[in-house]
Amino acid sequence: MAASFDAIVIGGGHNGLVAAGYLAKAGKRVMLLEADAQLGGAARTVEIAPGFRVSEIAHLVTHLSARVVKDLELERHGLSFAAPDLATIALASGGRHLTISRGEVGGEIAEADAVAWQKLHARLLRFAGVLAPLMAETPPRLDPGDRASGLRLGRLGLSLRRMGRPDMRELLRLVLMNIADVLNEEIGDDRLKGAIAFDAVLGTASGPLSPGSLLSYLYRLAGGVVGPAERVLPPKGGMGGVIMALESAARAATVEIRTSAPVARILIEGLRAKGVRLTSGEEIRSDTIVSAANPRSTLIDLVGARYLETDHVRRLQSIRMKGAAAKLNIALDGLPEFSGLDAKRSAGRLLIAPSARAVERAF
């Protein structure tokens, strides 16, 4: 007889582990299934050479909600950081590097640009603060008959009104702009604009001139990172340290975790999900299936197109999922040396993005 659980979570990356932990803390009997032999997905620590362990893909914590840390007691389960915050060093030719730490800029830069960035950064943080509560909300359905969604939209409208008319108008003006145009309005220094533009589009399939790239920067600021917004946090043990804390929290909440257990199919009976079948042929039953895989893989490959409406299938198959970045991990025999940069500043995040135009060309 097939094993039965209150909920099955497909995927043992950070999202799947958080979902499993919350379900288990709510009293559910949960099974988490990971296809790979190691948990973590893109947030793993691996050994690339003898004695060199690195975060394989993701390498900084940028969107870990303080609420998740508290609810799952991640610090009790070992979550900690190697540094409280890293400054970003925007490398430039001739040793004219900039040191950027949130709204502050150090190095050879015109005072007008440093002040302009300080003011722009403060304004964007205010706007991000208005948007931040939405990140924990279910996206509202634009359905006149859905009262709960109407209330959520109403709360957003009230938040905008509370900003005051000038800020509300400015947010509505900026929100659909691209980050390059916003920076060009305020700042003249190409090095500073390149560093900010880089962060705005990091991990997205867009460039600084793409519509909505300013909104992606606000999303970064609103991310609810542990502590103040926008901190650059390297976790102890690499990203694998975060995964170990999430795994420990999930197991403490009685989540049953299986690795090397790829799911071949989500079982559908009477148009309802009733469990999963593994590639081994084993079936596990549950009326609740949570997938941390992407929508196309989940619905087309695991559920099956025959259970979906034709328009839904067409939209799923049209999702663009081309990679937007490449990462090369290199083991060095010492600190790299740059003219005009001492060893202390070399401990920051070193960034080569000489201008917003250069970031756009790279895209």
Side-chain angles (χ1 to χ4, degrees), residues 42 74 89 94 135-136 176 183 191 269 332 347-348:
L74 295 185
I89 312 300
M135 300 186 67
L176 296 180
L183 292 171
R191 299 164 299 169
E269 297 172 7
L332 303 177

Side-chain angles (χ1 to χ4, degrees), residues 100 192 220 223 252:
I100 306 165
L192 179 57
R220 175 181 172 84

Side-chain angles (χ1 to χ4, degrees), residues 137-189:
E137 292 269 0
T138 302
R141 296 178 182 274
L142 301 180
D143 180 352
D146 189 338
R147 187 176 178 185
S149 290
L151 288 172
R152 284 196 292 272
L153 283 171
R155 284 197 297 269
L156 173 60
L158 186 60
S159 297
L160 292 174
R161 290 289 298 273
R162 284 174 177 162
M163 295 172 66
R165 185 169 292 179
D167 270 355
M168 182 177 73
R169 286 178 171 171
E170 179 68 355
L171 173 58
L172 294 175
R173 181 183 78 88
L174 292 178
V175 74
L176 296 180
M177 289 180 64
N178 65 64
I179 188 70
D181 285 348
V182 173
L183 292 171
N184 286 335
E185 282 184 356
E186 308 274 349
I187 297 166
D189 193 288

